[in-house]
């Protein structure tokens, strides 16, 4: 019943990684080594078919000074049989005064079998030191990537680094999946993952390739100085393993950083707040119904090369620039903070060439209302809606800018003027 569930302690990892799925031929007996098809008189050992990769182990290191120039690993094994999955990465916990060197620290997931196995999830790494914000003496690599697969790669594990100075701590969380292929939707024919079960995580057994921020059932508040989402990671917060409810969770970070390839999911009953973000908003973000995204306290939010999809509450957003390959979607089941559901308010919105804003009224909900004091749609910019009410003081639409509802009226054969679908010729007079 617990297949696919997230586990392990984000701050003090100690769990073994889980093995990959068995794959094809599990339990069947073969003479010789069926993996290499070397069935001969000389190699007549009996082997049982179907072996997923073993999970990574667990390592804990306590030291004063840690000079690391070698290799430190707790990785999952690769899938051995056709269709067998890679094992999950294990756990690495380091607690030292100083860390230096150029060695590697790795808890990656095992690769899926080339004949169709899924990749194992990355493990968990936590490093505590007393160099506060100066981690520069260590120039090595830290990796908790998911395993690679032609079917579906594993999700990234977590890397947590905390630097102390006796009175204060600097806490950084890194989610990096090494630009592995994006995970698929729960229904694979829907393509790559966008909406993660509409923000309902009560049963995640069919979800693959997602990085879960997880501690234990009693934690409802996460505090970080930096959250870094990179390498095509899909990141979601799971408050309780094997949970049957979505308890409230609040995650606050002083800085949200990224490379604009990752995706953040803010689910039902969850709030994600950041004080500062990169100049261009750094992470694709979905805010689900009853979730809340509190944006940076800055003059403008610039969306370039990423999307923000709002079905919950959007807070602290007054000035918005939507730039090339960026889009903002607001729907009638979300709202701006302190306003009724379905109502959004902005002071200044500019849609530049290649940028799009979608204002969407969801079926069986009241019409979306968007109030913008000053709206500018530059050439090549688009504001698209199916139906909306917009209030504004100043609107400028440049040549080749668009405000459009094309194609969103009644479809063929519907509506008050649909007429007959066909006429029997013999009935004509």
């Amino acid at each position: 019943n617990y297949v696919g569930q997230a586990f392990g302690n984000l701050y003090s990892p100690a769990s073994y990684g889980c093995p990959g799925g068995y794959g094809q031929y599990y339990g069947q007996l073969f003479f010789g080594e069926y993996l290499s098809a070397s069935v001969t008189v000389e190699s007549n050992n009996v082997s049982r078919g179907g072996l997923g990769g073993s999970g990574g182990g667990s390592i804990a290191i306590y030291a004063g000074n840690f000079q690391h120039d070698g290799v430190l690993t707790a990785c999952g094994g690769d899938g051995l049989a056709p269709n067998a999955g890679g094992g999950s990465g294990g756990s690495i916990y380091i607690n030292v005064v100083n860390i230096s060197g150029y060695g590697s620290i790795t808890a990656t997931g095992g690769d899926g079998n080339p004949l169709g196995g899924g990749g194992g999830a990355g493990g968990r790494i936590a490093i505590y030191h007393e160099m506060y914000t100066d981690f520069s003496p260590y120039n090595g690599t830290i990796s908790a990537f998911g395993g690679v697969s032609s079917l579906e790669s594993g999700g990234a594990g977590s890397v947590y680094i905390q630097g102390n100075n006796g009175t204060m701590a600097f806490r950084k969380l890194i989610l990096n999946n090494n630009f592995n292929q994006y995970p698929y939707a729960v229904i694979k024919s829907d393509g790559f993952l966008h909406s993660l079960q509409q923000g309902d995580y009560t049963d995640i057994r069919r979800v693959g390739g997602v990085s879960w921020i997880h501690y234990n059932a009693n934690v409802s508040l996460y505090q970080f100085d930096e959250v870094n989402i990179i390498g095509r990671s899909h990141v979601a917060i799971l408050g309780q393993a094997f949970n049957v409810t979505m308890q409230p969770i609040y995650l606050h970070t002083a800085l949200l950083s990224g490379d604009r390839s990752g995706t953040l999911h803010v689910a039902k009953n969850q709030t994600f707040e950041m004080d500062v973000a990169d100049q261009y908003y750094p992470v694709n973000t979905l805010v689900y119904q009853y979730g809340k995204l509190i944006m940076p306290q800055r003059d403008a939010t610039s969306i370039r090369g990423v999307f923000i999809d709002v079905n919950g509450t959007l807070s602290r957003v007054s000035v918005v620039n939507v730039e090339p390959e960026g889009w903002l979607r607001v729907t009638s089941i979300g709202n701006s903070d302190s306003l009724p559901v379905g109502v959004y308010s902005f002071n200044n919105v500019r849609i530049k060439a290649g940028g799009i804003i979608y204002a969407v009224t969801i079926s069986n909900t009241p019409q979306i209302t968007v109030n913008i004091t000053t709206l500018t749609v530059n050439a090549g910019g688009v504001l698209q809606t199916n139906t909306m009410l917009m209030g504004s003081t100043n609107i400028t639409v440049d040549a080749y800018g668009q405000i459009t509802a094309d194609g969103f009226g009644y479809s063929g054969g519907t509506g008050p003027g649909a007429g007959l679908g066909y006429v029997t010729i013999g009935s004509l007079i």
Side-chain angles (χ1 to χ4, degrees):
N1 291 330
Y2 297 152
V3 171
Q5 293 284 7
F7 70 99
N9 191 315
L10 173 70
Y11 302 110
S12 301
S15 303
Y16 293 160
C18 287
Y22 292 125
Q24 196 174 5
Y25 308 131
Y26 174 66
Q28 298 182 35
L29 299 180
F30 292 82
F31 286 98
E33 176 49 71
Y34 75 99
L35 293 176
S36 60
S38 57
V39 182
T40 67
V41 175
E42 290 78 19
S43 64
N44 60 357
N45 293 327
V46 176
S47 63
R48 185 175 70 175
L51 292 173
S54 298
S58 177
I59 298 172
I61 294 176
Y62 296 82
N65 299 311
F66 184 22
Q67 172 75 31
H68 176 44
D69 295 316
V71 175
L72 177 58
T73 63
C75 298
D78 296 341
L80 301 177
N83 304 117
S88 298
S91 300
I92 297 177
Y93 176 85
I94 299 172
N95 194 322
V96 296
V97 175
N98 300 293
I99 182 171
S100 59
Y102 55 85
S104 61
I105 302 170
T106 310
T108 55
D111 293 342
N113 187 272
L115 298 180
R124 297 195 185 278
I125 299 172
I127 302 174
Y128 292 80
H129 61 86
E130 297 182 15
M131 302 182 296
Y132 194 40
T133 60
D134 183 13
F135 200 61
S136 60
Y138 178 69
N139 293 303
T141 59
I142 306 173
S143 307
F145 312 142
V148 176
S149 168
S150 59
L151 180 67
E152 183 168 59
S153 295
S158 59
V159 176
Y160 176 73
I161 302 173
Q162 179 172 315
N164 302 303
N165 68 356
T167 57
M168 299 179 66
F170 183 83
R171 300 150 299 185
K172 183 174 182 178
L173 177 65
I174 304 170
L175 296 311
N176 178 8
N177 211 26
N178 199 35
F179 289 94
N180 288 344
Q181 178 177 277
Y182 286 117
Y184 285 101
V186 171
I187 300 174
K188 190 174 180 181
S189 59
D190 291 342
F192 292 122
L193 177 65
H194 182 75
S195 174
L196 182 53
Q197 300 188 157
Q198 302 299 319
D200 185 348
Y201 305 157
T202 54
D203 185 350
I204 60 170
R205 286 174 292 181
R206 298 181 63 200
V207 175
V210 171
S211 304
W212 295 100
I213 297 175
H214 173 247
Y215 179 31
N216 64 39
N218 299 318
V219 170
S220 59
L221 174 64
Y222 292 88
Q223 292 271 14
F224 302 103
D225 294 283
E226 182 177 356
V227 174
N228 179 239
I229 301 175
I230 56 177
R232 293 183 179 172
S233 294
H234 263 265
V235 178
I237 308 167
L238 185 67
Q240 180 179 353
F242 324 132
N243 61 344
V244 293
T245 61
M246 294 284 293
Q247 79 265 35
I249 292 177
Y250 198 105
L251 189 152
H252 173 265
T253 180
L255 170 64
L256 177 66
S257 62
D259 58 8
R260 290 182 278 170
S261 71
T263 302
L264 171 66
H265 300 264
V266 182
K268 174 184 177 182
N269 296 338
Q270 297 182 354
T271 298
F272 191 102
E273 179 182 6
M274 67 208 82
D275 297 332
V276 179
D278 295 344
Q279 177 180 0
Y280 292 106
Y281 188 72
V283 181
N284 298 294
T285 303
L286 293 98
V287 187
Y288 299 99
Q289 191 173 21
Y290 310 119
K292 185 174 184 179
L293 180 68
I294 305 178
M295 296 291 281
Q297 300 178 7
R298 65 190 319 168
D299 294 336
T301 297
S302 296
I303 304 171
R304 176 195 286 254
V306 297
F307 66 79
I308 301 178
D309 192 345
V310 181
N311 296 280
T313 299
L314 186 63
S315 180
R316 233 162 42 193
V317 177
S318 177
V319 179
V320 180
N321 297 317
V322 185
E323 305 195 13
E325 299 181 5
W327 57 267
L328 169 66
R329 180 177 181 261
V330 292
T331 74
S332 57
I333 59 175
N335 61 293
S336 290
D337 202 12
S338 303
L339 294 179
V341 173
V343 180
Y344 296 84
S345 179
F346 306 95
N347 284 340
N348 192 320
V349 173
R350 180 181 295 272
I351 309 173
K352 298 184 179 181
I356 305 175
I357 291 181
Y358 301 97
V360 180
T361 299
I362 304 295
S363 298
N364 302 316
T365 67
Q367 185 183 44
I368 188 172
T369 298
V370 182
N371 296 315
I372 304 172
T373 303
T374 300
L375 170 65
T376 303
V377 184
N378 292 141
V382 177
L383 172 56
Q384 180 176 294
T385 186
N386 56 345
T387 176
M388 72 172 180
L389 173 64
M390 186 171 71
S392 182
T393 302
N394 303 293
I395 298 178
T396 301
V397 182
D398 293 344
Y400 304 107
Q402 295 183 63
I403 299 177
T404 177
D406 288 353
F408 287 98
Y410 292 112
S411 59
T414 65
L420 297 175
Y422 65 91
V423 176
T424 303
I425 300 300
S427 67
L428 296 177
I429 299 176

